[in-house]
Amino acid sequence: MTAPDGPGAADRARPPVVRGSSRTSPRPLRGSGAPWLYLAPALAVLGGLLVHPVCQLGLISFFQYTQAQVSGGEPTAFRGLGNYTELFRDPQFRQVLLDTVVFAAACVVSTLAVGCALAVLLTRVRAVPRLALMLAALGAWATPAITGSTVWLFLFDPDFGPVNRVLGLGDHSWTYGRFSAFLLVLLEVVWCSFPFVMVTVYAGIRAVPAEVLEAAALDGASQWRIWRSVLAPMLRPILAVVTIQSVIWDFKVFTQIYVMTNGGGIAGQNLVLNVYAYQEAFASSQYGLGSAIGVVMLLLLLAVTLVHLRLLRGRGKEL
């Protein structure tokens, strides 16, 4: 067989070339505003629901804004940092701030300990006990805070509560003492908060390769050592999320304190910042002072979140 003759033989053997077409996939447009167009609806909702109220909160905190100004009887007076100066000079505010920080820290540590322990337990039990524990935990999580607080008050009631009868404490009042009232509220907060930690950490543990855990067990590591040296470092991003969420939730506890201690306890011995801000703003009609307390809470939560994220990034764990 001979090759085809003629000058057009080679050209006929080549595939046709279509002018103006490209066989490569289109490249994403870097630096364009397309991502912001997709985010615009969500940003608009967040701006209306979050940014505007926060700006109004900060604005009111710089004014003398009481019931007289709300009703129009007196003009609004600009105080600058006067509300903040009055707050930090008030010994009650400093005590409430300290109590809030200590109480929130205890709630966060207890919630993380219970949630992580039960998450590890879920990986060790069979399907039926696991399902029962998950349903019970989700039931506690879904219970409204005011309902859960009322139930816990009944359980620890000095006259009719079953806890005192089982423990043989007679008519002991858990809400009368300062520390026992805080302990009672802490137990209720942990009860309604640990399911979020448990479910999230359990999902993270299930994503860890089984070979890693088997290798640690073959090396003779105990369950505590496996958690501390293997699981905790691998779950650090998840633990960061649940820690930040727990700090935010527990720092701004309101319903449990207000319901279980009847508005802050005897002579305000169980006040936290959220309840204290409510009393100043609505019970005393000092809206400017209550707004200043809200701004202080916001700045503290932002500081805790930023410091926690910086520490994580410093360890080389990007979220």
Side-chain angles (χ1 to χ4, degrees), residues 121-122 125-135:
L121 178 63
L122 287 177
V125 297
R126 296 183 180 274
V128 175
R130 184 189 308 126
L131 179 61
L133 180 56
M134 293 278 284
L135 291 177

Side-chain angles (χ1 to χ4, degrees), residues 7 9 14 24 40 68 125 146 178 180 196-197 215 218 237 240 275 294 309:
R14 297 173 183 169
T24 60
V125 297
I146 188 171
R178 168 182 168 83
S180 61
F196 170 73
V197 178
L218 290 175
V275 180
L309 292 177

Side-chain angles (χ1 to χ4, degrees), residues 7 39 52 55 66 68 84 111 117 131 134 141 147 175 177 182 189 191 215 220 224 264 277:
L39 292 174
H52 179 70
C55 292
T66 63
Y84 297 95
T111 303
L131 179 61
M134 293 278 284
W141 192 18
T147 305
T175 58
F182 270 127
V189 171
W191 174 76
W224 167 247

Side-chain angles (χ1 to χ4, degrees), residues 88-151:
F88 286 99
R89 286 179 178 175
D90 185 5
Q92 185 181 14
F93 171 76
R94 295 196 297 268
Q95 182 63 46
V96 171
L97 177 61
L98 177 61
D99 292 345
T100 303
V101 172
V102 175
F103 175 74
C107 289
V108 170
V109 173
S110 303
T111 303
L112 291 177
V114 173
C116 292
L118 291 178
V120 175
L121 178 63
L122 287 177
T123 63
R124 299 289 184 267
V125 297
R126 296 183 180 274
V128 175
R130 184 189 308 126
L131 179 61
L133 180 56
M134 293 278 284
L135 291 177
L138 292 178
W141 192 18
T143 302
I146 188 171
T147 305
S149 301
T150 305
V151 171

Side-chain angles (χ1 to χ4, degrees), residues 195-239:
F196 170 73
V197 178
M198 183 191 72
V199 173
T200 306
V201 174
Y202 173 71
I205 294 176
R206 300 298 296 179
V208 175
E211 295 81 5
V212 176
L213 302 179
E214 292 175 0
L218 290 175
D219 289 340
S222 62
Q223 294 298 326
W224 167 247
R225 184 61 184 272
I226 292 176
W227 167 261
R228 183 171 62 89
S229 301
V230 180
L231 287 177
M234 299 183 70
L235 298 176
R236 188 170 293 156
I238 295 178
L239 293 176

Side-chain angles (χ1 to χ4, degrees), residues 158-178:
D159 297 322
F160 307 102
V163 174
N164 282 1
R165 295 181 182 180
V166 172
L167 298 179
L169 297 178
D171 58 350
H172 172 73
S173 176
W174 291 82
T175 58
Y176 182 80
R178 168 182 168 83

Side-chain angles (χ1 to χ4, degrees), residues 22 31 86 101 134 152 161-162 166 182 192 212 227 243-244 270-271 303:
S22 175
E86 181 179 349
V101 172
M134 293 278 284
W152 277 77
V166 172
F182 270 127
C192 67
V212 176
W227 167 261
T243 301
I244 294 173
N270 298 113
L271 283 175

